[in-house]
Amino acid sequence: MSRLAPHRSAPDFRPVLDRIAAEIDATPERGRPADYIPLLAEADPRRFGMAVAEPDGTVYGVGDWRRPFSAQSITKVFTLALVLSMDGERLWRRVGREPSGNPFNSLVQLEYENGVPRNPFINAGALVVTDRLQELTGDAVGRLREFMRAESGNAGLDFDPKVAASETAHGDRNAALAHFMASYGNITTPIPQLLDAYFRQCSIEASCADLALAAGFLARHGTRADGSALLSRSQAKQVNAVMLTCGTYDAAGDFAYRVGLPGKSGVGGGIIAVVPGHCTLCVWSPGLDRRGNSVAGVTALDRFTTLTGLSVF
Ligand code: GLU
């Protein structure tokens, strides 16, 4: 374990991270990597990394905490924050903020609800957010990459074209969602262009350290790493609230029960979590449960909040 910057103030997270890593190492059940994106299926489910970033940018980590992995749906938090920072409340006319109770790539609810997705973290909702970011900037994924590079301090953070291509080749369901919403007028970017942006967005390779740092604005009540405001305090609270209620697929209730923090998972096996005012976390282990959340990742966050007493409750 090591840290990126000199540590100035308590608490020191190193002992707790060491203990969690030892416990995870002794746990045989790791789940299975996502296999619907063939390149992700090759990941080793025994890998495990965890990082904690404090609001001043101090980062602690254990295991594979500096190893890049496929961020996937974790990027949906950053596109949402960017759109809210530019467009405010208007986004909520096009996407809801209720848990869906359905799998992340489900088509069923969209028809009942006239092409308005339940929340920004299911795939349909994320496609609407990326569409809006594209409308606002003309380069949704360029803006996302620039933001994540600036916040993480990692100028090399980038898309993985192989993962994006792997997903494009198996992207029929996301294409169906996008076309279906376009039929209701809820998508304006040409669908091939939107899907290309969305798959590149999901393919971003980042480490636990990168993602814990990039999410830091959510612990700093909307303030970016350079001290400028991305979101108002109220908007940062709103993003954290949507993460708590909708951030971990249709297991958000169980995640809130076990972990007690706003979180967002991705099928690459990463999960970010926020303790507002205190720190951000990112954990990675590619073996998933049947809902799509990292088995070791949820366990590690559960242990973190239990051992430290830090949670939003
Ligand atoms: N790129 C993945 C998809 O659209 C993201 C899924 C996820 O991480 O939840 O299916």
Side-chain angles (χ1 to χ4, degrees):
M1 164 162 1
S2 50
R3 62 194 192 194
L4 291 179
H7 187 56
R8 294 195 310 272
S9 58
D12 185 334
F13 290 113
R14 281 171 296 189
V16 78
L17 290 180
D18 278 338
R19 179 165 167 187
I20 291 168
E23 288 179 11
I24 295 290
D25 196 48
T27 309
E29 178 44 46
R30 292 299 177 92
R32 290 183 38 211
D35 53 11
Y36 77 103
I37 304 172
L39 261 191
L40 297 186
E42 294 167 14
D44 175 2
R46 298 269 337 148
R47 291 216 166 267
F48 173 78
M50 185 167 187
V52 184
E54 293 179 324
D56 69 356
T58 305
V59 187
Y60 298 94
V62 69
D64 295 311
W65 68 296
R66 301 188 92 159
R67 185 188 173 97
F69 61 90
S70 195
Q72 294 293 321
S73 281
I74 292 173
T75 60
K76 294 171 183 175
V77 172
F78 303 111
T79 49
L80 174 64
L82 287 170
V83 169
L84 291 177
S85 75
M86 288 178 239
D87 208 24
E89 291 289 298
R90 270 185 292 274
L91 177 70
W92 302 118
R93 294 184 203 147
R94 293 177 55 182
V95 58
R97 40 183 193 246
E98 289 293 345
S100 73
N102 278 310
F104 65 96
N105 55 6
S106 170
L107 277 154
V108 178
Q109 223 159 25
L110 262 188
E111 178 149 32
Y112 292 123
E113 297 178 3
N114 302 319
V116 175
R118 271 288 172 104
N119 68 64
F121 294 150
I122 53 175
N123 285 8
L127 285 162
V128 169
V129 175
T130 300
D131 182 56
R132 186 67 190 130
L133 191 56
Q134 184 68 22
E135 290 168 2
L136 289 164
T137 66
D139 180 16
V141 288
R143 192 59 78 89
L144 170 68
R145 180 174 59 182
E146 178 187 300
F147 177 79
M148 291 181 69
R149 282 180 174 175
E151 299 307 295
S152 66
N154 177 3
L157 184 146
D158 219 336
F159 312 113
D160 181 336
K162 289 205 198 90
V163 170
S166 181
E167 197 164 356
T168 303
H170 297 82
D172 292 330
R173 187 168 275 267
N174 284 313
L177 291 169
H179 281 291
F180 194 67
M181 291 188 291
S183 77
Y184 286 93
N186 202 11
I187 294 289
T188 65
T189 308
I191 304 292
Q193 195 183 325
L194 176 65
L195 291 173
D196 179 62
Y198 173 75
F199 292 141
R200 288 171 74 208
Q201 164 185 335
C202 291
S203 81
I204 282 182
E205 290 275 304
S207 68
C208 290
D210 294 333
L211 290 166
L213 284 166
F217 68 96
L218 291 169
R220 291 187 296 264
H221 307 296
T223 301
R224 293 187 61 163
D226 66 2
S228 63
L230 176 72
L231 301 176
S232 67
R233 192 179 179 101
S234 168
Q235 286 175 317
K237 176 202 72 181
Q238 290 162 354
V239 174
N240 277 318
V242 179
M243 288 170 70
L244 180 72
T245 52
C246 310
T248 41
Y249 309 117
D250 49 334
D254 192 55
F255 185 84
Y257 176 87
R258 289 183 62 191
V259 176
L261 293 176
K264 180 74 201 89
S265 52
V267 295
I271 309 175
I272 58 169
V274 185
V275 190
H278 284 272
C279 61
T280 44
L281 299 115
C282 181
V283 59
W284 172 63
S285 184
L288 308 180
D289 61 24
R290 66 189 172 80
R291 258 89 168 252
N293 294 311
S294 168
V295 172
V298 177
T299 301
L301 291 169
D302 178 351
R303 293 298 291 144
F304 180 86
T305 52
T306 301
L307 291 168
T308 62
L310 290 170
S311 96
V312 295
F313 299 108

